[in-house]
Amino acid sequence: MIVISCFHQNVVEEITMAMCRARALFSFSKCKPTLLSPLFHFSPIRRFSSSEFESVGFIGLGNMGSRMVHNLIKAGYKVAVHDINCNVLKKFSDMGVSTKETPFEVAEASDVVITMLPSSSHVFDVFTGPNGLLQGGNLLRPWLLIDSSTIDPQTSRKLSVTVSKCILKEKKDHWVNPVMLDAPVSGGVLAAEAGTLAFMVGGSEEAYLAAKPLLLSMGKNTIYCGKAGNGSNLNGSDSYNPVPGVMEAAPSSRNYDGGFASKLMAKDLNLAAASAIDVGRKCPLTSQALEIYTELCQDGHEARDFSCVFRHYYSGMDEF
């Protein structure tokens, strides 16, 4: 039997931040010379200017992405969007938002591009596929590419290397090459709508500092996790209640409509299981949870919020 525990999101974020700091200190401790050495010195961090990111491209207008775009618009950013769902694009077009037919067209109109997509394969296709962000070969307009999808760290690192080999169409200051950040989020749909997401960010610290004001227009917290792929290594949790009627705004009180789809939970559990195998760990509870959500999706509940798993085991009255 699976038990769904509801932890306060701030606690989870504090734990995540502590893990990031510990990882940074561990890596740092292996550097030579050490902190005690008189030869030790910090190299100055070069900085992007966040004012260079006024034109923002956004790809992926699902439950999360559409709400993130609304907050970018509220913050005053000029946004161009793309999604494979034409009906969603029309809604944004009717709102006066610039819509593009391909990811490449988004890149050509943007200083920074954010992607929020369902899986690693979707992200890889948007970057490297036909009409993808990198269709122009080695020349890119955007200075910064931010992927907020929840994907495996290997894909994040591979794309980061690919992006770093490109050259900017217009050189600014000392920057010649574009940069990619992996920045998955914690908070779910409710936080995306309220603008209170937490971003776990991997990649260049310089790029992270430049992107921070942009990220904070969609969230309340950003956590720097170190090198490329480290953001994708750490996933937060959300404050949810799976019982209908307990939390008015929770998907469970809307017949599990919206929220974080069960098929995406199955995808994330699959990523977690694969990561465990990569490091030689056995995670029986993860495997059991993956089986449960796989069965849930096969039974036709893949589009419902993941908390509907509650009904997988309990069919009694909602009232207590």
Side-chain angles (χ1 to χ4, degrees), residues 281-303:
R281 297 285 185 178
K282 293 183 178 180
C283 299
L285 293 181
T286 300
S287 299
Q288 183 180 359
L290 177 57
E291 290 179 10
I292 290 170
Y293 275 98
T294 299
E295 181 181 345
L296 198 67
C297 292
Q298 291 173 346
D299 288 344
H301 305 296
E302 62 175 15

Side-chain angles (χ1 to χ4, degrees), residues 26-48:
F26 176 76
S27 300
F28 200 61
S29 67
K30 295 186 286 186
C31 297
K32 300 293 182 180
T34 67
L35 284 170
L36 298 178
S37 169
L39 298 177
F40 179 82
H41 66 280
F42 285 103
S43 297
I45 295 178
R46 297 177 300 174
R47 301 185 186 278
F48 276 110

Side-chain angles (χ1 to χ4, degrees), residues 45 57 89 93 100 108 163 221 228 237:
I45 295 178
L89 278 185
S93 178
K100 304 296 181 181
E108 289 294 285
V163 169
N221 197 10
S237 299

Side-chain angles (χ1 to χ4, degrees), residues 2-14:
I2 188 170
V3 178
I4 299 180
S5 299
C6 300
F7 294 95
H8 194 281
Q9 184 178 326
N10 287 341
V11 175
V12 177
E13 290 171 7
E14 286 298 321

